[in-house]
Amino acid sequence: MALTLLCVEPAAAQDIGEEFCQTDMAVTIKNIFTLIQFGGPLVGGTLALGAAVATPMVRQSDMKLELKQIRTQGLVWGVIVAPLATTIIQFLLSSVVSGGTSCNF
């Protein structure tokens, strides 16, 4: 009897995980994840591209320096950090959140 209860326990936990996917919290987590996954590279890449295109057209050295800083920050945060954050958050959601693997975060 005790062995039967131990064998059934993981299946019960999986059902709870599937029910978690239908909650508002799971939908909110998935929306935030999608925003970080696609929004970061989109905004960062747009800033970097815009700064790279505008730099040759500006004559003032102060403005050129600011545009180069914007380009660098756009590349670092949007193209490098956002995809790394996506991988880290995906690992945390699938490993740490109860039922996260059944929600396909």
Side-chain angles (χ1 to χ4, degrees), residues 57-74:
M57 296 179 211
V58 174
R59 292 185 180 260
Q60 298 174 350
S61 62
D62 300 353
M63 185 67 93
K64 281 190 177 189
L65 182 63
E66 288 182 21
L67 286 172
K68 287 179 182 179
Q69 288 175 346
I70 290 171
R71 181 185 65 207
T72 303
Q73 291 295 321

Side-chain angles (χ1 to χ4, degrees), residues 38-54 67 70-79:
F38 297 114
L42 180 66
V43 171
T46 303
L47 285 174
L49 182 62
V53 169
L67 286 172
I70 290 171
R71 181 185 65 207
T72 303
Q73 291 295 321
L75 285 173
V76 167
W77 289 102
V79 180

Side-chain angles (χ1 to χ4, degrees), residues 76-88:
V76 167
W77 289 102
V79 180
I80 297 171
V81 174
L84 286 175
T86 301
T87 305
I88 292 168

Side-chain angles (χ1 to χ4, degrees), residues 27-40:
V27 173
T28 302
I29 290 171
K30 195 168 192 174
N31 289 342
I32 290 172
F33 178 68
T34 304
L35 183 67
I36 291 170
Q37 184 178 13
F38 297 114

